[in-house]
Amino acid sequence: MNILSPQLSCHITPVLAIVGYLTYPEKLRINPTLLYTLSVIHNGILVVFSAWTFVSLSRIIYTDGIVFQSNYYFQNPHFDTVIYWFYISKYYELFDTFLLYLNGKSPIFLQKYHHIGAIICWHLPYVYKVDAIWIPSIANSFVHTIMYSYYLGCLLRINQVRFIKKYITTLQIAQLSFGHYHVLVKYKPPVETYFNYNIMILFCVYVWGLIFLFSLFYYRNYLKPKLE
């Protein structure tokens, strides 16, 4: 299989999205009340959607079992649908950054790397039907359910949720560390095709970068202040 099949045109969407993301007008501002309303709706949607994704994938894995085989889960139309919408959600998550800009804030490099990489690393596995994508998808949807619930709770001024702030970064690092053995060993050729396996290697390289950046963020925000 080569990258021209599916047709090269299917790769235009993530490229355009990333270009749009990087060229977003940072100085744009809107009415604060409207901004608050949009923020609540945005986070609420992602809480519900992330929970739906996690529950849906969990049910599929429970029903079909854990099977390490090329194009096994993607033969299930429901699995294909869930992964498709989870992939599409990576475009919607770009609004995390847009809402920051509208608040007069600037995203850190970690956030930009996270969003751009997520689009690429869910686009390729979905287009080429890489079954191993279920592993990061189920972990990511679980953590996002908690993370966006926290953001929503903060917006609604539910102070009881604030204690979990630093644990969210720990959860991020934990979910990023989850499943590497199964992706790189259990799906190793001839179980998976070499082309698809290389896509997951690219995914893992992206994740290793995230682990480093999240660890650095954790150190700077939670460990370093205690040492000083």
Side-chain angles (χ1 to χ4, degrees), residues 113-128:
Y113 174 84
H114 190 179
H115 285 309
I116 292 172
I119 286 176
I120 297 170
C121 289
W122 260 274
H123 169 77
L124 292 175
Y126 178 74
V127 169
Y128 293 103

Side-chain angles (χ1 to χ4, degrees), residues 77-137:
H78 184 49
F79 179 84
D80 190 291
T81 298
V82 173
I83 296 298
Y84 171 76
W85 285 112
F86 195 61
Y87 156 54
I88 294 299
S89 75
K90 298 308 172 187
Y91 295 98
Y92 180 69
E93 287 172 16
L94 297 181
F95 282 94
D96 289 353
T97 301
F98 301 157
L99 291 170
L100 270 183
Y101 284 136
L102 292 172
N103 264 304
K105 301 175 182 178
S106 297
I108 60 176
F109 175 75
L110 166 59
Q111 188 176 71
K112 289 188 173 182
Y113 174 84
H114 190 179
H115 285 309
I116 292 172
I119 286 176
I120 297 170
C121 289
W122 260 274
H123 169 77
L124 292 175
Y126 178 74
V127 169
Y128 293 103
K129 308 303 180 188
V130 184
D131 255 26
I133 195 62
W134 76 264
I135 297 173
S137 295

